[in-house]
Amino acid sequence: MPFNVLKTYPQLLELTHLNVPQRVQSLQGIFKRDIEENPGLHFRTKTIRPIKGEEPAMVILFRHLTTEEIEVEDENGNKYTKRIFEMDRSQRLHWIKFHLEEKKKNNVEVFSVEERDQKKRKDIIRTYIYDVEQKYLIVLDPQRTLKDYYLVTAYHLNKDYGEKKINKLMKRRLPELH
């Protein structure tokens, strides 16, 4: 049995000593166990589903949970975004199920906010699960029917602006969870 499957919250997955194929294999094992092959994954009464796109939904979701989007510039000065492996996010992959099951009772903020989705160019209501103590955030979008959630991403607030941004969102929280 791979050692990372024994890790529990708040432990971090051990990834730094692994080469890229080993790291991917370890992360995919956690992802399959906790998310992909877990039909009972819910947040409160709503089923958790992967976001849809041009690739298989679980491929997109795994990428969002283990990489971050950065802006790069090519040799001609053209800017574009690409996703790169992100250690802090990946080391906490097994925290997602723990938080969705609401096993942590203290220092967790759960709230919904209406905000602008820049890619869809419309206002959406997004739900956040924020572990204040660990500075860890899970982002959920309600499905159109409002019966389920899409798991958009989850990450550690390791950027200077992270806590400031989440505090601004919490000030705009809606009275009810969506």
Side-chain angles (χ1 to χ4, degrees):
M1 177 182 294
F3 58 94
N4 273 330
V5 298
L6 301 175
K7 297 286 184 184
T8 58
Y9 175 91
Q11 296 172 315
L12 299 177
L13 299 178
E14 295 179 32
L15 303 172
T16 54
H17 69 286
L18 302 176
N19 62 34
V20 174
Q22 291 169 331
R23 184 177 69 211
V24 170
Q25 182 181 16
S26 182
L27 289 168
Q28 284 180 333
I30 300 296
F31 178 77
K32 283 181 188 225
R33 177 196 70 193
D34 290 356
I35 298 168
E36 185 173 5
E37 295 174 356
N38 182 0
L41 188 63
H42 290 80
F43 178 64
R44 302 205 172 158
T45 61
K46 298 181 181 185
T47 300
I48 298 298
R49 303 197 180 280
I51 52 177
K52 296 180 180 169
E54 295 180 15
E55 295 176 87
M58 289 297 179
V59 171
I60 295 169
L61 182 56
F62 180 75
R63 185 179 314 121
H64 279 250
L65 298 175
T66 59
T67 65
E68 71 177 326
E69 194 171 77
I70 62 165
E71 189 173 276
V72 292
E73 193 172 314
D74 66 17
E75 60 277 351
N76 299 323
N78 299 316
K79 293 182 180 180
Y80 62 97
T81 59
K82 74 175 194 173
R83 296 196 74 90
I84 60 167
F85 173 74
E86 212 268 311
M87 182 65 76
D88 286 341
R89 186 181 293 226
S90 296
Q91 288 178 314
R92 292 162 176 81
L93 183 62
H94 62 301
W95 289 12
I96 295 169
K97 181 177 178 241
F98 176 86
H99 283 88
L100 290 172
E101 292 175 348
E102 296 189 279
K103 291 187 177 176
K104 183 172 181 178
K105 304 296 180 200
N106 300 321
N107 292 317
V108 176
E109 295 285 340
V110 178
F111 62 97
S112 295
V113 175
E114 185 172 0
E115 59 186 315
R116 189 79 178 159
D117 185 315
Q118 298 301 331
K119 291 180 181 173
K120 295 179 184 174
R121 295 188 189 151
K122 67 177 186 173
D123 290 338
I124 61 167
I125 294 177
R126 189 163 265 169
T127 297
Y128 293 92
I129 303 168
Y130 177 46
D131 182 333
V132 178
E133 182 181 12
Q134 295 291 340
K135 299 179 184 172
Y136 186 68
L137 187 69
I138 297 174
V139 182
L140 304 171
D141 279 356
Q143 197 179 29
R144 276 189 292 281
T145 63
L146 304 178
K147 292 181 182 174
D148 297 332
Y149 282 118
Y150 290 117
L151 174 55
V152 178
T153 193
Y155 55 93
H156 182 247
L157 296 178
N158 58 0
K159 308 280 191 257
D160 293 338
Y161 56 83
E163 283 186 271
K164 185 177 180 180
K165 182 179 176 186
I166 199 70
N167 287 329
K168 282 175 72 174
L169 285 173
M170 283 194 291
K171 286 178 183 172
R172 296 187 7 242
R173 72 190 321 149
L174 297 172
E176 290 182 17
L177 205 60
H178 286 263

